[in-house]
């Protein structure tokens, strides 16, 4: 029993004398403060972005979740399967969106560089 008490005392002494091996430098602290200030400044924009993405996902969930259920009596399994393929681009948006955002032409700007070609291709698909 005394041995257990000595072990606890040693552990407590080590904890009280603990000092991190590397203390943060003033530059590190300033950088952390700047990052925190930037987050506080951008918090409203970030929350708006989260809200907009959430609102964008609601119609997608309703369409791809409820529509197959509603038309199952009028469509074959093959047609329902083909319809489900339409959700793949939205599901894989996380993978292809950084590429779309990083490739742009200075003459058109960041957004028009991908909106104009997509609109053109959509028009071609509709007319064919």
């Amino acid at each position: 029993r005394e041995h257990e008490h000595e072990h606890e005392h040693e552990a407590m002494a080590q904890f009280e004398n603990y000092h991190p091996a590397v203390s943060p430098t003033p530059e590190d602290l300033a950088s952390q403060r700047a990052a925190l200030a930037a987050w506080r400044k951008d918090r409203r924009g970030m929350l708006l972005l989260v809200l907009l993405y959430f609102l964008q996902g609601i119609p997608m969930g309703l369409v791809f979740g409820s529509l197959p259920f509603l038309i199952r009596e009028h469509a074959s399994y093959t047609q329902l399967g083909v319809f489900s393929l339409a959700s793949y681009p939205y599901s894989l948006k996380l993978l292809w969106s950084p590429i779309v955002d990083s490739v742009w032409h200075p003459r058109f700007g960041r957004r028009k560089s991908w909106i104009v070609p997509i609109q053109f291709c959509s028009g071609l698909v509709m007319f064919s």
Side-chain angles (χ1 to χ4, degrees), residues 1-73:
R1 181 143 183 135
E2 288 180 24
H3 180 62
E4 289 176 9
H5 184 65
E6 288 176 16
H7 183 65
E8 287 177 12
H9 182 67
E10 288 174 14
M12 225 20 199
Q14 289 176 353
F15 180 74
E16 289 172 357
N17 295 328
Y18 172 75
H19 298 288
V22 179
S23 298
T25 63
E27 293 83 17
D28 292 338
L29 294 174
S31 174
Q32 289 174 355
R33 284 189 198 109
L36 185 60
W39 164 249
R40 286 182 180 149
K41 179 182 171 188
D42 293 339
R43 187 179 352 186
R44 183 173 179 208
M46 292 289 193
L47 292 174
L48 178 63
L49 186 66
V50 167
L51 176 68
L52 290 174
Y53 270 105
F54 178 74
L55 292 175
Q56 178 186 7
I58 289 175
M60 295 295 290
L62 289 174
V63 168
F64 291 113
S66 63
L67 196 58
F69 177 74
L70 294 173
I71 63 172
R72 71 176 181 214
E73 294 175 3

Side-chain angles (χ1 to χ4, degrees), residues 70-88:
L70 294 173
I71 63 172
R72 71 176 181 214
E73 294 175 3
H74 308 289
S76 68
Y77 287 125
T78 304
Q79 290 170 328
L80 289 173
V82 170
F83 177 75
S84 72
L85 292 176
S87 68
Y88 279 2

Side-chain angles (χ1 to χ4, degrees), residues 63-116:
V63 168
F64 291 113
S66 63
L67 196 58
F69 177 74
L70 294 173
I71 63 172
R72 71 176 181 214
E73 294 175 3
H74 308 289
S76 68
Y77 287 125
T78 304
Q79 290 170 328
L80 289 173
V82 170
F83 177 75
S84 72
L85 292 176
S87 68
Y88 279 2
Y90 184 77
S91 299
L92 300 174
K93 186 168 95 169
L94 184 65
L95 300 176
W96 58 264
S97 62
I99 297 167
V100 170
D101 287 340
S102 66
V103 177
W104 58 281
H105 193 276
R107 183 173 157 200
F108 284 117
R110 286 194 178 268
R111 301 295 170 229
K112 286 183 188 175
S113 291
W114 63 270
I115 291 175
V116 171

